[in-house]
């Protein structure tokens, strides 16, 4: 497939879940992201999208997703309109998401939304006349996080087949893990899902994976750490617990420290979508395994590539 057809495939489409991104499109995004990464390092100016406007609506806190999307749009030569919190828009006066999206799509060419409710990005896409990108909907999905996560793995290992990826932490509420497992189920990747019993990956995520794709579910990291190529650590999502006692019961359930890295095999890496609280101790930052800050930095070229493919006019 030539590059022009790939641009046209993603153009004018929403990215709500990872299912909206074909595998060939993902690899094409990676190739373009690598080119953008080189261009950014060399200081080359890109003005391909100077007539384009991105609107960002963040109804939940964010550092990486909002800033890297906005940075990506600026780096492409475009402009950004930003609603960084619900109280800074007419949502605070009771305006519906539907009306907000109807209006925002007449002011912009593409919209990124983060919202506390599962399904909100899908709803937004029904009322927007411009493409919607889901920047995280409740405990639903975070598809662009998966793109940058897998770009990080791809740069490190070149492939996803025959890797062992261990996903650790809050797999119930952690939307990044839902998107990640779903996308990885397209490959011959071995997946370990390690969490406290109360924070296991929801059945609706597991039961929707392809029937021949098996995951190993456990609460014991020690049994899989030595075979792991990628340890993907996640934060316990305190803000999503309905019962504070349930949160108290899982605080500090896992702590990745320097000793953990000694049990890991040579060449293995530790990732985290961030923010981290106490699940990875700061001493790990200095080990050769740590990739989480590079992973977050990869958000800019990856999002540049995605925006570029969604907006490109051929
Ligand atoms: N990884 C991630 O979504 O980070 P933020 O919440 O800071 O956007």
């Amino acid at each position: 497939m030539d590059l022009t057809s790939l641009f046209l495939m993603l153009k004018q489409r929403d990215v709500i879940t990872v299912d909206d991104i074909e595998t060939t499109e993902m690899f094409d995004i990676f190739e373009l992201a690598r080119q953008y990464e080189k261009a950014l390092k060399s200081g080359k100016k890109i003005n391909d999208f100077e007539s384009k406007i991105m609107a960002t609506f963040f109804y939940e806190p964010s550092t990486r997703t909002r800033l890297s999307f906005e940075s990506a749009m600026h780096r492409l030569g475009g402009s950004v309109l930003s609603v960084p919190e619900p109280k800074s828009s007419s949502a605070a006066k009771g305006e519906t998401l539907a009306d907000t999206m109807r209006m925002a799509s007449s002011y912009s060419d593409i919209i990124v939304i983060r919202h506390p409710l599962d399904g909100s990005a899908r709803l937004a896409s029904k009322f927007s006349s411009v493409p919607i990108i889901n920047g995280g909907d409740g405990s639903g999905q975070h598809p662009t996080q998966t793109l940058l996560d897998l770009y990080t793995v791809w740069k490190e290992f070149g492939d996803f087949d025959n890797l062992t990826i261990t996903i650790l932490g809050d797999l119930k509420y952690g939307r990044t893990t839902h998107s990640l497992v779903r996308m990885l189920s397209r490959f011959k990747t071995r997946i370990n899902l390690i969490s406290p019993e109360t924070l296991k990956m929801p059945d609706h995520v597991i039961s929707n994976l392809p029937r021949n794709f098996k995951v190993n579910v456990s609460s014991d990291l020690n049994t899989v750490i030595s075979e792991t190529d990628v340890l993907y650590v996640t934060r316990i999502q305190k803000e999503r617990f309905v019962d504070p006692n349930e949160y108290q019961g899982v605080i500090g359930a896992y702590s990745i420290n320097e000793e953990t890295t000694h049990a890991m095999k040579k060449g293995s890496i530790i990732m985290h979508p961030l923010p981290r609280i106490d699940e990875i101790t700061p001493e790990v930052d200095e080990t050769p395994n740590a990739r989480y800050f590079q992973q977050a930095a990869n958000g800019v070229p990856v999002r540049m590539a995605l925006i570029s493919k969604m907006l490109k006019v051929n």
Side-chain angles (χ1 to χ4, degrees):
M1 188 175 295
D2 65 30
L3 217 58
T4 308
S5 351
L6 281 167
F7 277 134
L8 290 173
M9 281 170 68
L10 264 172
K11 188 171 174 298
Q12 285 305 324
R13 269 195 4 223
D14 306 304
V15 174
I16 308 299
T17 73
V18 291
D19 293 357
D20 296 317
I21 305 161
E22 301 287 340
T23 306
T24 49
E25 289 172 330
M26 180 178 77
F27 284 116
D28 199 56
I29 287 167
F30 291 173
E31 294 293 352
L32 187 57
R34 190 150 59 180
Q35 288 173 35
Y36 279 137
E37 217 182 318
K38 276 192 199 138
L40 291 176
K41 276 187 190 133
S42 70
K44 192 176 157 200
K45 201 164 165 50
I46 302 158
N47 275 326
D48 298 353
F49 294 87
E50 61 184 351
S51 65
K52 298 291 184 187
I53 298 174
M54 166 182 278
T56 60
F57 285 85
F58 277 71
Y59 292 154
E60 265 195 344
S62 168
T63 296
R64 279 146 291 275
T65 309
R66 185 168 73 85
L67 295 187
S68 64
F69 261 117
E70 295 184 0
S71 172
M73 193 60 184
H74 286 299
R75 297 278 193 208
L76 288 168
S79 312
V80 176
L81 308 173
S82 187
V83 176
E85 51 184 346
K87 69 176 184 217
S88 63
S89 78
S90 284
K93 301 177 206 162
E95 186 169 47
T96 62
L97 187 60
D99 285 357
T100 304
M101 291 300 114
R102 280 189 181 105
M103 296 317 308
S105 53
S106 65
Y107 306 146
S108 59
D109 301 293
I110 191 163
I111 295 172
V112 182
I113 181 167
R114 169 171 288 188
H115 196 284
L117 294 180
D118 297 25
S120 50
R122 178 77 65 205
L123 180 75
S125 72
K126 305 280 181 231
F127 296 94
S128 169
S129 56
V130 302
I132 296 280
I133 301 175
N134 180 6
D137 62 326
S139 302
Q141 284 220 12
H142 195 347
T144 65
Q145 178 71 42
T146 295
L147 286 178
L148 72 94
D149 291 344
L150 292 189
Y151 179 65
T152 307
V153 176
W154 179 74
K155 282 207 303 180
E156 195 78 31
F157 297 98
D159 200 358
F160 309 113
D161 288 341
N162 303 315
L163 284 181
T164 298
I165 301 189
T166 297
I167 307 177
L168 173 76
D170 182 352
L171 312 186
K172 178 179 180 183
Y173 297 117
R175 57 194 170 204
T176 69
T177 70
H178 304 166
S179 301
L180 184 61
V181 169
R182 177 104 193 129
M183 189 61 111
L184 282 171
S185 70
R186 299 178 190 182
F187 300 92
K188 293 188 184 76
T189 312
R190 287 180 294 274
I191 303 271
N192 298 310
L193 299 177
I194 313 292
S195 69
E197 190 59 29
T198 54
L199 296 179
K200 282 165 73 175
M201 185 148 293
D203 281 344
H204 71 83
V205 179
I206 306 254
S207 61
N208 280 319
L209 298 175
R211 206 178 305 170
N212 61 352
F213 187 79
K214 302 289 175 224
V215 291
N216 169 40
V217 177
S218 169
S219 57
D220 187 1
L221 178 63
N222 292 327
T223 56
V224 297
I225 192 71
S226 64
E227 70 190 40
T228 294
D229 296 294
V230 177
L231 178 60
Y232 188 96
V233 187
T234 62
R235 172 179 71 92
I236 308 276
Q237 309 264 306
K238 181 182 179 187
E239 67 277 21
R240 306 216 188 277
F241 282 74
V242 180
D243 177 0
N245 290 327
E246 195 193 348
Y247 174 66
Q248 290 300 324
V250 291
I251 292 176
Y254 298 98
S255 176
I256 303 304
N257 52 35
E258 207 172 357
E259 204 181 314
T260 320
T261 67
H262 296 153
M264 293 180 74
K265 67 181 182 186
K266 196 168 184 291
S268 60
I269 61 170
I270 299 172
M271 296 174 61
H272 191 309
L274 303 178
R276 70 159 155 194
I277 309 301
D278 55 5
E279 57 280 358
I280 301 180
T281 61
E283 76 215 14
V284 177
D285 302 356
E286 308 308 322
T287 68
N289 308 80
R291 286 295 178 288
Y292 27 94
F293 295 122
Q294 280 160 263
Q295 177 188 353
N298 286 337
V300 174
V302 167
R303 288 175 169 131
M304 286 173 77
L306 177 68
I307 296 164
S308 174
K309 290 190 181 297
M310 292 177 78
L311 290 181
K312 188 84 178 176
V313 180
N314 288 290

